[in-house]
Amino acid sequence: GRAAGRCSMPDCRLDVFFDEDEADDPTLVGENCHIVAEGDGGPRADPTMPIERRNSYSNLILLCRNHHRIIDDVPNGPINYPVARLHQIKSEHEQWVRDQLGYDANRQQDDELYSQIVDGWQ
């Protein structure tokens, strides 16, 4: 929601969701990508980070499949896209969403609360 369903890369911002009007079924062409790798051997890995933090919102960035591949491509991806740079890209993208796309903070907060409730039921 905070990424507005768009790739967070400023030179892309591809809409990563297509509804039934645009495809046979709702289609996701984006990926929630780990800033610090989920696994100990992944790109930008930090074995000291607890697994809960690795899978937390603060460690995820929404990207299209192409940019996900680029940032994780070894060896250049982690060199060109270190943790600090990915956090900056994410932060700047969320600010762009708030400034340009009529971001409704109250609705976003409600959506996130509802999402937590659903996750708890599952």
Side-chain angles (χ1 to χ4, degrees), residues 3-90:
R6 296 173 182 260
C7 178
S8 295
M9 290 298 204
D11 60 340
C12 182
R13 295 200 172 117
L14 175 73
D15 189 353
V16 298
F17 298 102
F18 296 95
D19 61 26
E20 290 96 352
D21 295 339
E22 301 170 270
D24 291 340
D25 295 311
T27 302
L28 174 65
V29 295
E31 299 175 351
N32 283 317
C33 310
H34 289 85
I35 294 172
V36 173
E38 182 178 28
D40 291 346
R44 297 169 304 278
D46 178 0
T48 65
M49 179 184 274
I51 192 68
E52 308 83 49
R53 284 197 44 224
R54 294 182 203 183
N55 288 313
S56 69
Y57 177 80
S58 64
N59 190 48
L60 298 173
I61 183 171
L62 182 62
L63 297 173
C64 67
R65 291 178 180 165
N66 293 338
H67 280 108
H68 188 189
R69 174 74 59 155
I70 289 168
I71 69 160
D72 282 357
D73 185 47
V74 177
N76 293 330
I79 293 168
N80 294 330
Y81 295 97
V83 170
R85 183 168 182 207
L86 290 175
H87 279 294
Q88 179 181 6
I89 289 168
K90 176 181 178 174

Side-chain angles (χ1 to χ4, degrees), residues 103-122:
Y103 176 81
D104 184 341
N106 290 329
R107 180 174 180 198
Q108 181 64 37
Q109 186 177 16
D110 290 346
D111 288 348
E112 290 176 18
L113 178 59
Y114 176 73
S115 181
Q116 290 172 358
I117 292 168
V118 170
D119 287 347
W121 287 339
Q122 289 179 343

Side-chain angles (χ1 to χ4, degrees), residues 88-101:
Q88 179 181 6
I89 289 168
K90 176 181 178 174
S91 176
E92 289 174 358
H93 178 70
E94 290 177 357
Q95 184 63 51
W96 176 84
V97 168
R98 288 189 296 274
D99 293 345
Q100 300 296 319
L101 300 181

